[in-house]
Amino acid sequence: MKINDYLKVTAAAKVLGVCSATLRNWEKKGMIKSYRGLLGGNNSYRLYKREDCIKLLEKLGDDDD
């Protein structure tokens, strides 16, 4: 795992073109998975795989057709 493969909420939302709240809602619906505790220590930052964001973006684009 490389930390550069992951995005924090704000960055992931920007990639997807949505606000952070929408991204969190999509996570609750199971559309995308977050990972926590990858930065070490006691933090619980939500991180999203860059690859997962791109796949979701492509899927959302396919749904528009």
Side-chain angles (χ1 to χ4, degrees):
M1 173 204 71
K2 294 183 235 164
I3 199 61
N4 291 339
D5 294 337
Y6 293 84
L7 302 168
K8 289 185 180 178
V9 173
T10 304
K14 189 172 184 176
V15 166
L16 291 164
V18 298
C19 68
S20 300
T22 299
L23 180 55
R24 288 185 194 100
N25 284 331
W26 287 351
E27 178 187 347
K28 287 178 189 173
K29 291 180 180 180
M31 295 171 65
I32 191 165
K33 180 179 178 182
S34 71
Y35 300 83
R36 294 178 184 242
L38 297 179
L39 297 179
N42 292 327
N43 75 64
S44 60
Y45 290 118
R46 278 184 174 99
L47 297 174
Y48 298 89
K49 284 185 181 177
R50 185 181 307 269
E51 178 183 331
D52 291 348
C53 292
I54 293 168
K55 286 179 183 177
L56 179 56
L57 189 60
E58 290 170 354
K59 182 180 185 309
L60 293 171
D62 289 346
D63 289 346
D64 289 343
D65 295 338

